[in-house]
Amino acid sequence: MTVRVTGRVVTPAGVIRQGCVEISNEQITAVAEYPSGRDGHWILPGFVDIHTHGGGGHTFTTGDADEARAAAGFHLRHGTTTLLASLVSSPFALMRAATTAYRPLVAEGVLAGIHFEGPYLSAARCGAQNPAHLRDPSTAELTELLELGRGTIRMVTLAPEREGATAAIKLLTAHGVVPAIGHTDATYQQTQAAIAAGASVATHLFNGMRPVHHREPGPVIALLEAPTVVCELVADGVHLHDGMLAFATTTAGVERTALVTDAMAAAGQPDGEYELGGQRVTVTAGVARLASDGAVAGSTLTMDAAFRHAVGTGVAVPEAARMVATTPARAIGLGDRVGALQPGLRADLVVLDDDLNVVRVMRAGTWLD
């Protein structure tokens, strides 16, 4: 049976004002004009979030499969049809346990994979990462996790200045896992060396990084200028000033800019007390901060809100759609499966009203509701 979804269809080539997406089984079979006398709702590709720690009161950081399923379900209702479960810096035992627990969820399609944000990070730039768990990259640990995961692990964030980082980057790349650079005090030259070794994502650019200086550009400039690196940006108005968001987007271009939520369990929940990686987090007016020192501790963002924020700062809808779907899908090696409204890709759609609020969500050809 063929299903037709009509409206303002946002494709990689632009907007079809009166368009139609045809779906058969789980795939998009055609995208074309469909004159209907009105524009209708916005039809976008399902959002792809490559960096999120939880949401809806549930977390990915404990390795609990039921919690992970619930967190993924919360973000799905906000249009995220492809999602990596991000952990924070953890003991190796927890990394093993999470890999084992989440492997069935990846096989089922609930998760697109695991993202280990740490523990191979800089103590000087740890942000809300638990400093007790930080350590140098270990190829022995990574090899064991890769064997245990059987394709479950899709991205690992590390600081390139730590001993063993280059060997870890090369190992990850050889196994098809994306090495990301983040929570780093690296120099410009150290960052360039990591990129040359295979690092291809900047974890929440600017945040948890040595600041830019005119005599020491640091990691930010090296990542922004590298044509092979996709730069994550947290578009919530808290992690980044809107002027910096616009600067980074313009500099890297939408082909290298991926909006992420970096959400924690408090996303979609009331203000109050929460936990992240063994540390207490206080959420006030929707902003999550460590209770100990006030460091920003993830976000309460959802991808639909990130999309609206980007459009509100002046990013055109087609370009913002690339930043929340097409570019992040390509960054984690899924661009041939999801991330755009084009024939042959999985039928993941988000329907938005004129205010860019979610009306309906389709994943793999099935409406969520």
Side-chain angles (χ1 to χ4, degrees):
M1 183 178 69
T2 298
V3 174
R4 292 184 176 88
V5 183
T6 61
R8 286 171 282 184
V9 178
V10 182
T11 76
V15 179
I16 305 175
R17 302 298 302 188
Q18 295 178 345
C20 172
V21 181
E22 291 190 358
I23 297 138
S24 181
N25 297 320
E26 297 184 357
Q27 279 196 328
I28 297 171
T29 55
V31 179
E33 292 187 359
Y34 190 80
S36 61
R38 61 188 182 88
D39 289 348
H41 290 315
W42 291 100
I43 315 297
L44 272 70
F47 304 142
V48 179
D49 192 354
I50 62 175
H51 188 161
T52 177
H53 301 287
H58 306 281
T59 185
F60 293 124
T61 62
T62 58
D64 183 288
D66 291 336
E67 282 280 298
R69 187 182 294 275
F74 166 78
H75 284 288
L76 179 59
R77 293 189 292 276
H78 287 270
T80 300
T81 52
T82 300
L83 175 146
L84 294 187
S86 300
L87 277 80
V88 290
S89 295
S90 310
F92 184 55
L94 176 54
M95 297 172 76
R96 280 181 51 89
T99 301
T100 301
Y102 294 167
R103 190 172 66 203
L105 297 184
V106 174
E108 186 182 336
V110 174
L111 302 175
I114 292 175
H115 164 217
F116 286 118
E117 187 184 11
Y120 315 125
L121 308 175
S122 164
R125 304 293 176 188
C126 65
Q129 299 280 334
N130 192 330
H133 302 315
L134 302 183
R135 54 192 183 272
D136 288 335
S138 166
T139 54
E141 285 187 357
L142 289 171
T143 297
E144 187 172 341
L145 291 171
L146 291 167
E147 292 174 352
L148 187 64
R150 302 175 202 164
T152 297
I153 300 167
R154 195 161 282 276
M155 185 161 71
V156 176
T157 298
L158 48 75
E161 71 273 21
R162 295 209 69 138
E163 186 175 351
T166 299
I169 290 170
K170 290 180 178 179
L171 174 68
L172 293 169
T173 302
H175 285 80
V177 177
V178 176
I181 295 174
H183 288 282
T184 175
D185 200 40
T187 64
Y188 177 78
Q189 290 79 11
Q190 288 171 322
T191 307
Q192 284 187 316
I195 295 167
S200 59
V201 166
T203 294
H204 47 48
L205 189 75
F206 298 105
N207 301 116
M209 291 186 179
R210 176 195 290 236
V212 175
H213 188 277
H214 57 284
R215 285 191 291 272
E216 170 43 62
V220 171
I221 299 303
L223 293 162
L224 271 177
E225 70 181 10
T228 57
V229 172
V230 170
C231 298
E232 293 181 357
L233 299 175
V234 185
D236 62 354
V238 176
H239 281 73
L240 295 175
H241 186 282
D242 287 347
M244 194 61 82
L245 177 71
F247 166 75
T249 301
T250 302
T251 302
V254 296
E255 298 291 340
R256 295 202 301 113
T257 303
L259 300 188
V260 299
T261 63
D262 194 17
M264 59 166 295
Q269 298 296 106
D271 287 354
E273 300 296 315
Y274 296 86
E275 183 270 345
L276 181 67
Q279 300 190 98
R280 191 161 61 91
V281 174
T282 301
V283 178
T284 304
V287 179
R289 296 183 181 276
L290 286 185
S292 59
D293 62 7
V296 174
S299 83
T300 59
L301 193 61
T302 53
M303 286 296 275
D304 57 327
F307 177 80
R308 286 192 296 273
H309 190 93
V311 173
T313 65
V315 180
V317 167
E319 283 68 35
R322 297 188 77 87
M323 293 160 64
V324 295
T326 314
T327 299
R330 180 176 54 80
I332 58 171
L334 296 179
D336 59 344
R337 303 184 212 174
V338 298
L341 298 183
Q342 58 188 44
L345 300 192
R346 195 173 72 195
D348 293 350
L349 282 68
V350 182
V351 181
L352 304 177
D353 62 20
D354 287 343
D355 295 322
L356 305 181
N357 294 307
V358 175
V359 176
R360 296 187 85 184
V361 179
M362 174 184 284
R363 189 183 186 281
T366 300
W367 289 113
L368 179 61
D369 52 357

